[in-house]
Amino acid sequence: MSIAYLDPGNIESDLQSGAVAGFKLLWVLLLATVIGLLLQRLAARLGVVTGLHLAEVCNRQYQKVPRIMLWLMIELAIIGSDMQEVIGSAIAINLLSAGKVPLWGGVLITIADTFMFLFLDKYGLRKLEAFFGFLITIMAITFGYEYVTVKPDQGKLLTGMFLPYCENCGTPQLEQAVGIVGAVIMPHNMYLHSALVKSRQVNRANKKEVQEANKYFFIESCIALFISFLINVFVVSVFAEAFFGQTNANVSQACANSSSPHAGLFPQNNQSLEVDIYKGGVVLGCYFGPAALYIWAVGILAAGQSSTMTGTYSGQFVMEGFLNLKWSRFARVILTRSIAITPTLLVAIFQDVEHLTGMNDFLNVLQSLQLPFALIPVLTFTSLHPVMKDFANGLGWKIAGSVLILIVCCINMYFVVVYVTALGHLALYVVAAILSVVYLCFVAYLTWLCLIALGISFLACGQTYQLGLTTHPELFLLNNVDADSVVNR
């Protein structure tokens, strides 16, 4: 669960927010992590109480067409996440080899590492969790080293974390704040977490045991997200202290003085410094020596490697849940990794590192678009008493969950609009407009069902049975499943 908040997309969002806004957006990171924790709690409760993960419940509750559309949307999110992991790993390998391994070579190497994880998987989930713990420890040590080296101002850090205010902030800072939320809360993590809780044995016939399991899963989630939050704070603070307010000319001069071979990356102008995963390592090396660059690259490599298997597991659960297909993990990895590597490899071969890291912006937009297709179903099913019995969301959780999901989705939609409007091409606007209509209609359909599940029963009117509803609004999603059998499982 920590890994879900520590993939290369998160790290890039962290360093950009630090370089653009200093310490001022740390409170956004804290808030996004707390919101993520609360939403993950709903996903975990669904898995613990029903014995089914989110994809399985969607498969049993939704009609065929929306079910297939949901599956396709989540698969897109997983493939996008996989591409970010490939990009991060390839860049880290390039930095560690001092450029001797080209970016396309790093992309190809990421094929082999996936099969290493599949080999580890044969020894059981607990062994794999231990290995992930080792990779997270590497991230904590490497990014912690950068934190100690740079020595951020602790007063500014605490003010930025607990004072929800951004003095003299403009559009760039607002876009970074939106990007933080989009990078932290990922759609496929909801599906993954609802499935991972099933690896623990829980007697669902015993209400007390289920309550106890929910409590300890929530404690476990708090610990996991606290660790990931600390590592994210390390990255934001390093770039906030060292590079906030710096210009390209400043960095270019520092790189030239340190005889860095990467000085040409930064133009000789007074524009504000813009960094990504690759440039982030370079500027650390220019200011704090080669050790800082290589340690940074090790941390990025650990982030990319650890994130690889979360995508594999998510894809496995989603495919089995939605389609009832029992593919081996080997076949599943071959499919998703091939889809993820092909466009990444083409960009790495025919373009430069700027275009490769620029893909992360598009992939973050893709993740943002998929978010409603995880959050809305989670709130819908955890609010249904026939599914959750005594563990259904109360009024407070229904209101809080609705508000949180509305805020997160609105923030992410703003992020998407900013990205699309910056494209500057009429044909792209037309395509985006057509896709937007289809997208919004589907989101509206899921929202309508969710509102009925939340208790707004007057919305279930007319010939609603054609959409999977019955004459009893609180049971409308259960036309394809026996509620008692779900709970007993």
Side-chain angles (χ1 to χ4, degrees):
M1 190 176 172
S2 290
I3 290 165
Y5 294 78
L6 292 171
D7 65 7
N10 281 101
I11 303 301
E12 180 152 339
S13 174
D14 292 338
L15 65 90
Q16 287 175 343
S17 71
V20 170
F23 297 95
K24 299 173 186 175
L25 296 180
L26 276 173
W27 66 272
V28 178
L29 176 63
L30 175 61
L31 185 62
T33 304
V34 172
I35 292 175
L37 173 65
L38 297 176
L39 295 175
Q40 295 279 163
R41 176 183 180 272
L42 294 179
R45 284 171 67 86
L46 181 68
V48 171
V49 174
T50 65
L52 301 169
H53 58 72
L54 182 56
E56 290 174 321
V57 179
C58 288
N59 182 42
R60 286 160 173 77
Q61 310 288 34
Y62 287 126
Q63 295 293 294
K64 184 176 182 180
V65 173
R67 186 167 69 234
I68 293 174
M69 290 179 68
L70 268 178
W71 171 66
L72 290 174
M73 292 298 100
I74 299 303
E75 286 290 355
L76 274 176
I78 292 169
I79 292 169
S81 176
D82 206 28
M83 287 177 68
Q84 287 184 313
E85 291 146 16
V86 171
I87 291 169
S89 297
I91 288 173
I93 292 169
N94 180 266
L95 287 172
L96 285 170
S97 65
K100 291 183 173 59
V101 177
L103 290 171
W104 60 265
V107 171
L108 292 176
I109 290 172
T110 61
I111 298 175
D113 64 37
T114 308
F115 297 108
M116 179 185 73
F117 285 116
L118 289 175
F119 173 75
L120 288 171
D121 185 46
K122 291 184 177 180
Y123 292 96
L125 184 61
R126 297 292 169 265
K127 300 290 192 304
L128 200 60
E129 285 179 346
F131 184 66
F132 284 160
F134 171 70
L135 291 175
I136 291 170
T137 303
I138 290 177
M139 279 185 269
I141 292 172
T142 52
F143 296 137
Y145 169 86
E146 309 286 1
Y147 182 85
V148 172
T149 301
V150 175
K151 299 183 179 66
D153 186 311
Q154 300 302 302
K156 291 181 179 179
L157 188 154
L158 292 173
T159 301
M161 189 178 298
F162 296 109
L163 184 63
Y165 180 67
C166 191
E167 186 178 0
N168 299 323
C169 288
T171 302
Q173 289 77 20
L174 178 60
E175 290 177 7
Q176 287 303 321
V178 171
I180 290 172
V181 177
V184 167
I185 304 172
M186 310 282 273
H188 60 283
N189 291 338
M190 301 296 156
Y191 289 84
L192 176 64
H193 195 207
S194 66
L196 291 179
V197 296
K198 293 170 60 179
S199 66
R200 269 73 167 180
Q201 295 297 322
V202 179
N203 179 10
R204 292 179 177 84
N206 187 325
K207 181 179 176 180
K208 186 176 180 181
E209 277 198 34
V210 175
Q211 285 177 325
E212 189 176 60
N214 282 329
K215 180 180 75 172
Y216 284 111
F217 276 123
F218 183 65
I219 294 172
E220 184 182 46
S221 299
C222 290
I223 295 171
L225 263 65
F226 176 72
I227 293 170
S228 66
F229 175 71
L230 280 182
I231 296 174
N232 284 318
V233 168
F234 287 162
V235 178
V236 174
S237 302
V238 165
F239 284 84
E241 180 68 31
F243 306 116
F244 174 58
Q246 295 278 10
T247 64
N248 288 321
N250 296 146
V251 177
S252 179
Q253 183 63 42
C255 289
N257 292 340
S258 63
S259 301
S260 169
H262 304 287
L265 273 176
F266 307 96
Q268 291 283 351
N269 59 45
N270 289 322
Q271 292 183 3
S272 296
L273 175 67
E274 294 183 3
V275 286
D276 49 41
I277 292 176
Y278 185 79
K279 287 182 179 178
V282 170
V283 294
L284 284 170
C286 293
Y287 277 83
F288 302 102
L293 186 152
Y294 290 118
I295 290 171
W296 168 262
V298 169
I300 295 298
L301 184 63
Q305 297 302 293
S306 60
S307 303
T308 296
M309 208 60 189
T310 61
T312 302
Y313 269 100
S314 299
Q316 185 80 6
F317 294 134
V318 165
M319 180 174 282
E320 289 180 0
F322 278 108
L323 305 181
N324 289 320
L325 287 180
K326 299 291 183 181
W327 278 26
S328 67
R329 286 200 174 92
F330 180 84
R332 170 74 202 181
V333 167
I334 288 289
L335 175 65
T336 55
R337 186 44 62 101
S338 299
I339 295 173
I341 277 182
T342 302
T344 311
L345 187 60
L346 291 174
V347 173
I349 292 173
F350 297 108
Q351 299 290 340
D352 54 19
V353 69
E354 295 279 350
H355 290 84
L356 192 63
T357 54
M359 286 179 70
N360 270 330
D361 291 333
F362 170 75
L363 295 172
N364 281 334
V365 168
L366 184 67
Q367 300 281 3
S368 299
L369 283 169
Q370 313 310 320
L371 209 51
F373 307 124
L375 302 186
I376 295 175
V378 163
L379 181 61
T380 300
F381 300 131
T382 54
S383 299
L384 280 172
H385 188 268
V387 172
M388 300 291 288
K389 294 295 185 183
D390 295 336
F391 296 95
N393 292 331
L395 180 61
W397 266 102
K398 288 179 180 179
I399 295 173
S402 301
V403 171
L404 291 179
I405 290 173
L406 180 63
I407 291 172
V408 170
C409 289
C410 288
I411 287 173
N412 280 274
M413 288 307 102
Y414 174 82
F415 182 47
V416 173
V417 169
V418 168
Y419 179 82
V420 172
T421 52
L423 295 175
H425 197 287
L426 181 61
L428 293 175
Y429 289 153
V430 173
V431 173
I434 295 171
L435 293 176
S436 296
V437 171
V438 178
Y439 173 85
L440 292 173
C441 287
F442 187 42
V443 172
Y445 168 79
L446 295 177
T447 303
W448 173 53
L449 298 182
C450 182
L451 289 173
I452 299 174
L454 291 173
I456 308 177
S457 56
F458 70 86
L459 293 175
C461 56
Q463 299 297 318
T464 50
Y465 65 87
Q466 294 177 355
L467 294 173
L469 309 187
T470 70
T471 55
H472 301 286
E474 73 278 6
L475 298 174
F476 74 97
L477 285 170
L478 300 173
N479 61 312
N480 292 325
V481 66
D482 178 357
D484 289 333
S485 67
V486 173
V487 176
N488 289 336
R489 280 191 61 179

